[in-house]
Amino acid sequence: MFVSVFELFKLGIGPSSSHTMGPMVAAERFLADLRGGAEFIPGAGAAAAIKVSLHGSLAFTGKGHATDRAVMLGLLGFDPATLDPDEAEAALARLHETHRLEPEGLPALTFDPASDLTFDYGPALPLHANGLVIRAFDGRGAPALTRTYYSVGGGFVRTEEELRIDRAREGDRSGPDPRIPYPFATAREMLAMGRTSGLSIAEMKRANEAAQKSREEIDEGLDRISGAMDACIDRGLNEGGILPGGLKVRRRAKDIHEKLRAEEFSNQKLPHAGNEWLGLYAMAVNEENAAGGKVVTAPTNGAAGTVPAVLRYWRDQCGGLTDDKRRDFLLTAAAIGGILKSNASISGAEVGCQGEVGSASAMAAAGLCAIQGGTNEQIENAAEIALEHHLGMTCDPAAGLVQVPCIERNALGAIKAVSAAALALRGDGTHFMPLDNCIKVMLETGRDMNVKYKETSTGGIAVNLPEC
């Protein structure tokens, strides 16, 4: 399965790609079906009202992730990539007052947030832990149209039918898109194609992207991604205060940044200051995410800080980051991210945080190894090292908020990524555990993991909090 760099890295809002961005996109898609004349249940009249139910992890941690708010914004016509916060708040206030949706191209629809959006805490829907059902009813209250959506991580949304088709195709490598010159679905295939072609991973990934976009479009898109990542770090470094949600978690990035800058040209600077800068950049992003700000999925919102932190670290602390190297970093990271998504999962609700921060760390390690001149084999080794040392990591956010332990996990994910790249560059690329096998272990571990450790906030850190 070809996963574009622009699908893995996309602009959105916090605090969660799967629980905020995905449900918003699902609501948008439902409105598009209504506009497009989707086939209604026989005998039903025109749509007059909408009801939504959230299931599985979307129900258990939906409040902390603002899933209900996201669904309403989607039904109001907002998109994660272009959302204006002030306009969104005004529209939500009107909806709570009028109980009416007025989507473009459709008649007014009744929707009362208090009664028409429900959290179903029963068993999850059958195909994925993140499920929601959206129903339209006619003026008599008769069902008119029902759609089931699954938010499968990273802001990706699949209908029930689409996800069933995806599952049926798992393991089927026949008939790759003939437009894609290097259709690698595994790391083993990627390395073999690299040896045959003599191209780097970034060059092969760029060639694949060129099947859909011109070189100028690819470069402009990559520059927008890195620019948005940098802007998010900068906002996080300049914002203080308390994060929303009730845990009263204090934003720390601004304070740490000021202290590090004060120490930079003094005798107080310690040899491990590089790790502190790495962690700082990641924390700045994830504090912005936790506050509902604009971030780039990398590959998810919950893991949005790791990749930008490593890229910024290399630019600011190491030097020598040219435009071409920055683009190669993102292309290489996306190549690894596509393999991870296609063969396992980037959803914390499906495989735990190993699929989020673990995947992000592997992607960042690969990108960093590439821009330091690593061979394809060394890059694959760097990704494997980073992923291997996140295996088994649970997703257990306190109060369903992407704050504790998520913010610090991104910081440590970035540090592990740099260490993994350094270790791989000291070798020749040969190593014991192939990346593909490590990905398989992540998937198997995630399937075996108790559901209370997979973004339901019913186990682990989420239930072992101070009683003060």
Side-chain angles (χ1 to χ4, degrees), residues 49-125:
I50 288 181
K51 295 182 183 293
V52 181
S53 58
L54 305 175
H55 302 262
S57 179
L58 293 187
F60 281 100
T61 61
K63 286 290 184 183
H65 287 101
T67 305
D68 48 352
R69 181 177 182 273
V71 169
M72 287 184 272
L73 288 172
L75 292 175
L76 287 163
F78 288 92
D79 180 81
T82 58
L83 181 143
D84 180 283
D86 294 333
E87 290 182 12
E89 289 306 317
L92 285 171
R94 286 194 300 273
L95 176 59
H96 281 282
E97 181 180 342
T98 65
H99 302 164
R100 281 166 59 90
L101 301 165
E102 297 180 348
E104 185 178 347
L106 289 169
L109 302 164
T110 299
F111 182 83
D112 182 353
S115 58
D116 294 332
L117 196 155
T118 59
F119 293 79
D120 187 325
Y121 298 107
L125 298 179

Side-chain angles (χ1 to χ4, degrees), residues 300-314:
T300 67
N301 282 30
T306 298
V307 169
V310 173
L311 192 55
R312 179 69 166 258
Y313 164 79
W314 192 254

Side-chain angles (χ1 to χ4, degrees), residues 127-465:
L127 297 184
H128 194 279
N130 294 332
L132 68 158
V133 180
I134 307 179
R135 298 177 175 88
F137 297 84
D138 67 14
R140 299 174 292 110
L145 180 68
T146 298
R147 289 282 190 270
T148 299
Y149 300 96
Y150 292 94
S151 182
V152 296
F156 291 88
V157 173
R158 310 297 282 166
T159 64
E160 185 172 23
E161 180 182 5
E162 289 167 347
L163 194 51
R164 289 190 186 279
I165 291 171
D166 290 347
R167 296 284 171 85
R169 288 176 176 171
E170 284 183 1
D172 181 10
R173 305 298 184 205
S174 63
D177 187 335
R179 298 173 301 167
I180 305 298
Y182 303 101
F184 52 83
T186 66
R188 181 179 181 180
E189 292 173 356
M190 177 183 71
L191 293 177
M193 290 179 188
R195 285 190 289 268
T196 300
S197 66
L199 298 177
S200 69
I201 293 170
E203 288 168 334
M204 290 190 289
K205 183 63 175 170
R206 179 180 282 277
N208 289 345
E209 297 290 340
Q212 300 175 338
K213 288 178 167 55
S214 68
R215 182 177 184 88
E216 291 73 21
E217 289 174 320
I218 294 169
D219 286 345
E220 288 172 5
L222 292 172
D223 293 346
R224 278 195 300 273
I225 290 167
S226 59
M229 288 177 171
D230 267 339
C232 186
I233 290 174
D234 290 337
R235 288 194 304 273
L237 294 178
N238 287 285
E239 291 290 336
I242 304 297
L243 292 171
L247 288 180
K248 299 181 180 179
V249 172
R250 182 173 61 87
R251 293 178 72 139
R252 290 178 285 167
K254 181 180 179 181
D255 181 56
I256 295 172
H257 185 224
E258 291 171 354
K259 290 177 179 176
L260 283 174
R261 289 189 65 185
E263 295 170 5
E264 198 156 17
F265 301 105
S266 74
N267 291 331
Q268 293 176 293
K269 185 175 180 181
L270 296 171
H272 61 258
N275 280 350
E276 293 189 82
W277 281 102
L278 262 173
L280 168 66
Y281 296 141
M283 289 174 64
V285 172
N286 282 86
E287 286 178 355
E288 273 295 291
N289 178 63
K294 287 197 171 183
V295 299
V296 177
T297 60
T300 67
N301 282 30
T306 298
V307 169
V310 173
L311 192 55
R312 179 69 166 258
Y313 164 79
W314 192 254
R315 188 196 82 178
D316 288 0
Q317 306 301 316
C318 303
L321 184 63
T322 64
D323 288 344
D324 285 341
K325 283 189 175 183
R326 174 169 39 79
R327 294 163 186 159
D328 283 350
F329 180 106
L330 293 174
L331 288 166
T332 305
I336 299 301
I339 292 171
L340 283 156
K341 184 181 186 306
S342 298
N343 295 283
S345 176
I346 57 172
S347 167
E350 192 169 19
V351 296
C353 198
Q354 57 176 351
E356 296 205 28
V357 173
S359 294
S361 187
M363 293 163 63
L368 183 58
C369 186
I371 64 172
Q372 291 185 82
T375 65
N376 290 350
E377 287 74 18
Q378 287 173 317
I379 292 166
E380 183 263 358
N381 187 15
E384 184 277 326
I385 294 169
L387 181 63
E388 181 178 9
H389 298 288
H390 285 87
L391 291 177
M393 182 177 282
T394 58
C395 183
D396 47 357
L401 300 166
V402 193
Q403 297 177 18
V404 178
C406 319
I407 295 170
E408 290 178 355
R409 279 186 179 169
N410 275 263
L412 272 294
I415 291 169
K416 286 184 181 181
V418 173
S419 298
L423 190 57
L425 285 165
R426 293 296 182 185
D428 62 3
T430 58
H431 56 107
F432 183 81
M433 174 65 71
L435 176 59
D436 289 328
N437 296 59
C438 195
I439 292 172
K440 182 180 178 183
V441 172
M442 181 178 78
L443 180 61
E444 291 173 346
T445 303
R447 286 174 172 169
D448 291 340
M449 192 180 291
N450 191 300
V451 70
K452 68 183 181 180
Y453 300 120
K454 294 194 285 188
E455 211 165 357
T456 59
S457 290
T458 57
I461 287 174
V463 299
N464 285 279
L465 300 174

